[in-house]
Amino acid sequence: MPNGVTGTTLLVMTHLPPPAEELRLLDAELWQLDSRRTQLLARRAWLVATLQQTQDQTQQARAQAQTRPPSAAPPRPETAAPSVQNVLLVLGGVLLTLAAAVFTLVSWGHMGITGRALVLGAVTLAALAGPAFLLKRGLRSTAESVAGLGLALTVLDAYALHEAALPGTDAAGYAAAAAAVLAGLWSAYGLLPASAALRLPLPCALAAAQFPLLLWAQSADAGPYMISTALLVTAGLDTVVGLRVTAASVRICAVVGAYGTGGWGALGAGWLSVTADGPGAAARAGALLLLAAAIALGAAWRVSGPGARHALGLAAASGLLTVGALGGVARFGVPEEWTVPAHLAFGVALLAGLRAGRLLPDAVRHGVAWASAVVQALALLWALPVVALVVMGPAGWLGRVWSGAPSDARAAVAVEAPWPSYAAAAPVVLLAVAAVLALVVRGEQWRPRARLGALGLLWAAALLLPAILAVPHLAGMSVLGVMTAAALYLGRTTASGARVTALVLALVTAVDLTLVSLASQTATLVVLSVLTALPAAASWRTSLVPFTAPAALAYAAALASATGAAADWPPARTALLVLAVPVAAALLAPRLAASRATVPVEAVGAAAGLLAVGLAVTDPPLLALVLALCGVIAAGTALRPDRRPVGYAATALFVLAAWVRLAAWEVGMPEAYTLPVTVPALLVGALRRRRDPQASSWTAYGPGLAATLLPSLVAAWGDPHWTRPLLLGTAALLVTLLGARHHLQAPLVLGGSVLALVTLHELAPYVVQVTGALPRWAPPALAGLLLLTLGATYEQRIRDVRRVRDVLGRMN
């Protein structure tokens, strides 16, 4: 193919149009876009107008709806029709009853005997016969109201009969007979076929039956024993009714009556047992309590179904009443201090009910067990004061340290409180309850807890024996030491609960032994030595280290203090001996790395260090030495990677030691106190800036420079001499130059500020002198000139800003 043909063909086949054609195409596209944009804008304007019109119509409709009064709704009844009916019936019955009472009490005397009898009899019979007719018509509520009126009229009939025919009879006796007759009549009325559907007569009959026996006992001038008997018999009858009757209203009334009369009867019998002055009176009161217990036990035995939840409480009450009855009789056969153990014996005997198996219902057996637990808890509360005296009584030696060894172990604990007369029976109570916990409790959940409780009670009983037996003082301390060692040995167990219990017992026993030993100097030193060695030896067990290692260090600190006091050292000198404990803690802590005992050991070491500081506070030279040694210990601790922050405490201790030493030398220059702070702070700041170049100079150097410059500045302003201002100004100038050289803000600002203030202080007299020589118009003139200069400068800056803005605008 020729070359010319090829070129022409390629020119025609190119995809890019000529420039003129491309420009024409672009203009056409832009025209179409402008046309489409115009159409869209017109459509948008129409839509906006339409939406605005719709919104205006909606707002207008809402405004009209708000101004239009709400539509009237039919009123909702506030009270249901049956409620209105019952209120009307009750109100009517009450009004009729009041009218009948007024007629009986007021208008009775205006009629003859025949008329009175006819009126009351006719009204009563009509009121009692009306419910049968009303029940046939289906008016049950009205029938109940009329029946209530009839029952009330029978009470008025009884009153009228007494006033008219039997005015001379005993009021209490007549009331008892009337209550019994009314109870029978109302019961018969409630059981008649025509009125059996009524709910009111039988509960009213049961309520009336609560009074005959009690009123009869009062009319017969019976003593408190007969009154309690009447109440308990009434409660028994109520219990029988409540267990046999199925009507809910009658059962509720019977339960209320049984609890009410039975409760008052049991309380009265209990009071009679407590105040009995002889075996005979106690036996009679005990018989009443046993009667109440039998009623409660019978009710608990027969209760079933939904009311079974009451059986537990009734059985527990029966057990407590039985213990009270038997214990009240037994207290006249034993010494006074053995009264509580006697009651405890009967309470423990109740646990035989747990061995009855299927013979007793579960609720009864559990209730009896709870009753026994209550008796045991009360017995422990009775023995608790003796245990508290033995544990806390030796604290009285804190005010009589090394005043002389007591004669025996009892005198060692009863320092400021009298020895209880019943203390000999307390260990028996503790041992009995411990035996019950160890032998009787069988549940998988409660058995471990019961064993721990038994262990604690055995420990308490052993703690009481030396004081009760009044053994020699040394023997008593030996017993406490053996108990402490035994508790620490038991702490080796793997069970966490048992280990914690054993350690708590060991701690309490050790504290008690320490307090008892304060009576004698030799005993104190020996006991503290033993108590330091025992926890230290127990610390070989890894599981005990978090508890025993801190305890050993604490007793070591106490031993050091006691040793110094025994050697007649001053407290400041004793502080040097106490510092051995922080040293030991600092050496021991690294060996306990990654252990729970590390922090407790270090805490005890820190507390011992504070104790040493407190002992040395009265002697400044020794206090400075103690602070320096504490700083050394802290610095050694800070060498550990996980205790780097302790280095700050070490620095603070070294600074405090230097300050105390300077104060002991009576140095008054502030620079002597501030420079020991400034130099380490600046070194630390320099190290931090080297590790982190982005650290602020205020953080690195600000505290160190301020610690010296600011106190020296305050001292320089009050110093009349020229030496301190000259040295301070020189130092400030040097700091300023260093800050400028290294571009550090903190040295530059602090140094420059201090330099300016020192210069002002030095030139202040001359400024005052020059100010006094100037005329009065000079200061205002100088101030005005300064303001003019500032204003001109401000204007110049504004003009420069505008010029820059114009230049930037032209650059665009």
Side-chain angles (χ1 to χ4, degrees):
M1 183 177 293
N3 292 335
V5 175
T6 302
T8 304
T9 304
L10 293 176
L11 182 62
V12 174
M13 292 176 63
T14 180
H15 295 284
L16 295 176
E21 182 65 20
E22 185 178 1
L23 179 60
R24 186 184 63 80
L25 293 175
L26 290 178
D27 290 338
E29 289 292 337
L30 290 174
W31 181 83
Q32 291 179 1
L33 290 176
D34 290 339
S35 177
R36 183 60 178 169
R37 185 174 184 274
T38 303
Q39 293 177 1
L40 293 177
L41 288 175
R43 181 63 178 174
R44 181 182 181 277
W46 181 83
L47 291 175
V48 169
T50 302
L51 291 176
Q52 184 67 32
Q53 183 179 2
T54 304
Q55 186 176 4
D56 294 340
Q57 293 177 356
T58 303
Q59 293 179 353
Q60 184 178 3
R62 289 180 180 176
Q64 292 177 359
Q66 291 177 357
T67 56
R68 186 183 306 158
S71 59
R76 183 176 60 87
E78 297 181 355
T79 307
S83 300
V84 176
Q85 165 194 304
N86 294 334
V87 170
L88 294 178
L89 291 176
V90 172
L91 182 61
V94 170
L95 293 178
L96 288 176
T97 303
L98 292 176
V102 171
F103 169 77
T104 304
L105 299 175
V106 179
S107 302
W108 183 260
H110 300 290
M111 302 178 65
I113 184 64
T114 305
R116 286 178 271 179
L118 290 176
V119 171
L120 263 183
V123 173
T124 302
L125 290 176
L128 293 176
F133 174 76
L134 294 172
L135 287 174
K136 292 181 180 180
R137 300 294 299 270
L139 302 176
R140 183 183 182 87
S141 299
T142 306
E144 293 285 355
S145 299
V146 175
L149 174 63
L151 298 180
L153 288 175
T154 56
V155 177
L156 295 177
D157 289 339
Y159 172 77
L161 179 62
H162 177 267
E163 293 296 324
L166 303 171
T169 58
D170 178 59
Y174 179 80
V181 172
L182 289 175
L185 291 176
W186 291 351
S187 299
Y189 179 70
L191 295 175
L192 291 175
S195 57
L198 295 174
R199 300 178 181 177
L200 192 59
L202 292 180
C204 290
L206 188 58
Q210 308 300 311
F211 301 100
L213 292 179
L214 180 61
L215 294 175
W216 172 79
Q218 291 181 351
S219 66
D221 292 332
Y225 290 95
M226 290 303 299
I227 294 177
S228 297
T229 303
L231 290 172
L232 292 176
V233 171
T234 303
L237 296 176
D238 291 334
T239 302
V240 173
V241 173
L243 293 174
R244 291 185 175 274
V245 177
T246 58
S249 59
V250 179
R251 294 190 67 178
I252 292 174
C253 187
V255 169
V256 172
Y259 277 115
T261 56
W264 281 110
L267 288 176
W271 177 254
L272 292 174
S273 177
V274 171
T275 58
D277 55 358
R284 292 195 298 272
L288 294 176
L289 289 174
L290 290 177
L291 175 61
I295 295 172
L297 181 60
W301 200 308
R302 294 294 302 273
V303 167
S304 60
R309 63 182 183 273
H310 297 284
L312 180 65
L314 291 171
S318 175
L320 293 175
L321 291 172
T322 302
V323 172
L326 300 179
V329 176
R331 67 188 179 93
F332 288 98
V334 297
E336 182 179 359
E337 61 270 16
W338 291 94
T339 301
V340 173
H343 284 78
L344 177 61
F346 293 117
V348 174
L350 290 176
L351 295 175
L354 296 177
R355 301 295 183 182
R358 298 180 179 272
L359 297 179
L360 295 177
D362 291 340
V364 174
R365 292 193 297 110
H366 294 162
V368 172
W370 277 107
S372 177
V374 170
V375 174
Q376 295 177 56
L378 293 176
L380 289 179
L381 288 177
W382 174 80
L384 183 61
V386 183
V387 179
L389 176 61
V390 173
V391 173
M392 303 177 62
W397 290 108
L398 292 174
R400 309 177 184 181
V401 177
W402 297 350
S403 59
S407 58
D408 51 36
R410 182 179 300 179
V413 298
V415 181
E416 296 179 353
W419 183 252
S421 59
Y422 62 90
V428 177
V429 171
L430 298 174
L431 293 174
V433 177
V436 171
L437 292 176
L439 301 176
V440 177
V441 180
R442 297 293 183 183
E444 295 182 0
Q445 180 181 2
W446 290 99
R447 185 167 179 78
R449 303 176 185 179
R451 288 183 175 181
L452 294 179
L455 177 63
L457 293 176
L458 289 175
W459 168 84
L463 195 65
L464 297 182
L465 288 179
I468 292 174
L469 300 177
V471 300
H473 179 53
L474 181 60
M477 290 194 301
S478 301
V479 171
L480 294 177
V482 172
M483 291 176 61
T484 303
L488 288 175
Y489 181 79
L490 292 176
R492 301 173 60 187
T493 181
T494 57
S496 59
R499 182 169 61 250
V500 172
T501 302
L503 291 174
V504 170
L505 296 181
L507 176 62
V508 175
T509 310
V511 172
D512 192 26
L513 176 58
T514 303
L515 294 175
V516 170
S517 68
L518 294 178
S520 172
Q521 175 178 317
T522 304
T524 301
L525 296 176
V526 172
V527 166
L528 291 178
S529 300
V530 172
L531 293 180
T532 302
L534 283 178
S539 299
W540 291 106
R541 296 286 297 184
T542 306
S543 59
L544 300 179
V545 174
F547 307 96
T548 55
L553 292 175
Y555 276 107
L559 178 61
S561 301
T563 302
D568 291 332
W569 288 359
R573 189 176 178 184
T574 304
L576 298 175
L577 190 59
V578 175
L579 283 178
V581 176
V583 173
L587 295 176
L588 180 62
R591 300 178 178 273
L592 302 174
S595 173
R596 292 182 301 169
T598 304
V599 174
V601 166
E602 292 176 342
V604 173
L610 290 177
L611 175 62
V613 173
L615 292 174
V617 74
T618 57
D619 191 341
L622 279 177
L623 177 60
L625 177 60
V626 169
L627 289 172
L629 293 176
C630 290
V632 172
I633 298 172
T637 303
L639 294 177
R640 294 163 51 191
D642 57 337
R643 292 293 185 267
R644 297 298 188 194
V646 183
Y648 296 105
T651 303
L653 290 171
F654 284 131
V655 171
L656 287 176
W659 286 357
V660 172
R661 172 55 64 183
L662 291 173
W665 287 338
E666 298 182 355
V667 176
M669 293 185 301
E671 291 79 8
Y673 296 90
T674 57
L675 285 176
V677 177
T678 297
V679 174
L682 292 178
L683 292 177
V684 173
L687 292 176
R688 180 171 183 180
R689 288 274 298 179
R690 178 176 294 181
R691 294 180 179 178
D692 184 11
Q694 301 299 326
S696 173
S697 62
W698 288 102
T699 304
Y701 304 116
L705 293 175
T708 294
L709 292 178
L710 297 182
S712 299
L713 179 62
V714 174
W717 272 70
D719 192 351
H721 304 287
W722 59 270
T723 307
R724 176 177 279 109
L726 177 60
L727 296 176
L728 180 60
T730 303
L733 176 61
L734 180 60
V735 170
T736 304
L737 294 176
L738 290 175
R741 171 68 177 78
H742 296 284
H743 303 285
L744 298 177
Q745 189 179 35
L748 184 62
V749 173
L750 290 175
S753 301
V754 172
L755 180 60
L757 291 175
V758 171
T759 304
L760 178 62
H761 172 264
E762 293 301 314
L763 297 179
Y766 303 101
V767 173
V768 172
Q769 183 179 359
V770 172
T771 304
L774 290 176
R776 293 183 179 273
W777 54 266
L782 292 175
L785 181 61
L786 177 62
L787 292 176
L788 288 175
T789 304
L790 291 176
T793 305
Y794 186 74
E795 183 180 4
Q796 179 67 29
R797 296 294 180 267
I798 293 176
R799 188 176 63 184
D800 294 340
V801 170
R802 290 176 179 175
R803 184 180 301 169
V804 172
R805 185 185 61 185
D806 295 339
V807 172
L808 293 176
R810 287 195 298 270
M811 290 175 64
N812 188 25

